[in-house]
Amino acid sequence: MNKDTDSPIHISSKFLRSVNLESDYGRPDCLDNYILQSSTQNLVNTLNTHIATSSQRAFTITGPYGGGKSSLALLIASLVSKDKALKAKAFDLLKQSDEGINAAWKSSNGWSVLPIVGKRESVEESIAHALSQQTNTKIDKANPSLIIAELIKQAEKYPEEGVLVIIDELGKFLEYATTNEGDIYFYQLLAEAASRCKGKLVVLGILHQSFEQYASKLGKSAQEEWSKIQGRWLDLPLVSATDETVELVGKAIQIKGLPKTQKKVDKLFEVVANSVQRRRPNLSKNF
């Protein structure tokens, strides 16, 4: 990339910043410049439907690096924010009726959100730490049953609200479990607790690949166990279509101050774009 400050081409700064769920959640500007793609909208609609019409409460969102999973996690967390302005911004971004979202995320005062980012430690430890900060009580990280019991307690404490546990970089916790003899069974207990809870307890994990792929170096029986446990979680793939990626790249590349050939270049772009649009009528009007 040309680093010359006089270059007419540069990458918009909003595309250069990565998202950190723990530090960015709740910031007034955390959703600024968010670009909603059709694939993302469809995934959220599917998630809403399951939460509103079934007992499924444990989900994973799986997709490639740089596919916008962390930004999507931030958007979903904002849907139930106690900050009404942030919540309204999230609702507006999703371009669907408030009633449609409320069927899944209904709340008067906002949910309790536990934003967690994967680390080289047990997932129980991170959840216990987040819970301790949320409730101002000490949670024993060595006792998985107490951690789950506390999550259920918080979810049932305010039946009109709920508890949303979002674990970004869940793969780091899974990798830790494979190398440190971690108890993968906790993930099954967590998923089952969420589905049986009388309150609203939703758990959402962000992954780059499936559960069992993280267990590829383990024995066959261990891999089968991991696969069985993943069956308690509903996986929602997030993969952008090629057209969406082209449009996103187009928004990232900023051009200004081009020489006199600008009009000729614009005309060429227009001819190409119109040609593609005629062959693919479902393309965005902004293509």
Side-chain angles (χ1 to χ4, degrees), residues 45 70 145 165 169 190 209 214 217 244 247 249 266 287:
N45 289 344
S70 296
S145 297
V165 181
E169 300 287 352
L190 186 59
Q209 56 188 0
Y214 287 94
K217 295 181 181 179
E244 293 177 318
E247 185 176 346
V249 170
D266 285 348
F287 179 77

Side-chain angles (χ1 to χ4, degrees), residues 39-56:
S39 55
T40 306
Q41 175 75 72
N42 292 337
L43 186 152
V44 175
N45 289 344
T46 301
L47 179 63
N48 291 348
T49 299
H50 280 285
I51 293 175
T53 63
S54 75
S55 61
Q56 182 68 43

Side-chain angles (χ1 to χ4, degrees), residues 84-153:
K84 292 184 178 180
L86 182 58
K87 180 179 178 178
K89 188 182 291 187
F91 269 63
D92 185 59
L93 274 169
L94 283 167
K95 300 177 183 177
Q96 62 181 25
S97 69
D98 289 0
E99 290 77 15
I101 302 175
N102 271 332
W105 307 104
K106 182 179 180 181
S107 68
S108 301
N109 302 310
W111 291 30
S112 294
V113 179
L114 273 65
I116 297 169
V117 178
K119 306 172 184 68
R120 301 298 180 183
E121 64 182 28
S122 71
V123 68
E124 298 96 316
E125 187 174 349
S126 282
I127 292 178
H129 177 69
L131 263 176
S132 296
Q133 289 187 318
Q134 187 82 261
T135 61
N136 291 318
T137 58
K138 188 173 182 180
I139 309 297
D140 185 1
K141 64 184 181 183
N143 193 324
S145 297
L146 287 181
I147 296 172
I148 289 175
E150 184 63 31
L151 285 171
I152 293 173
K153 176 184 175 182

Side-chain angles (χ1 to χ4, degrees), residues 5 28 54 68 81 91 99 141 152 158 175 225 247 282 285:
T5 55
S54 75
S81 173
F91 269 63
E99 290 77 15
K141 64 184 181 183
I152 293 173
Y158 303 104
E175 289 171 353
E225 182 67 18
E247 185 176 346
N282 292 327
K285 294 180 180 179

Side-chain angles (χ1 to χ4, degrees), residues 14-26:
K14 68 183 180 183
F15 290 88
L16 301 176
R17 181 178 173 275
S18 60
V19 170
N20 183 291
L21 189 62
E22 289 179 338
S23 59
D24 289 340
Y25 173 65

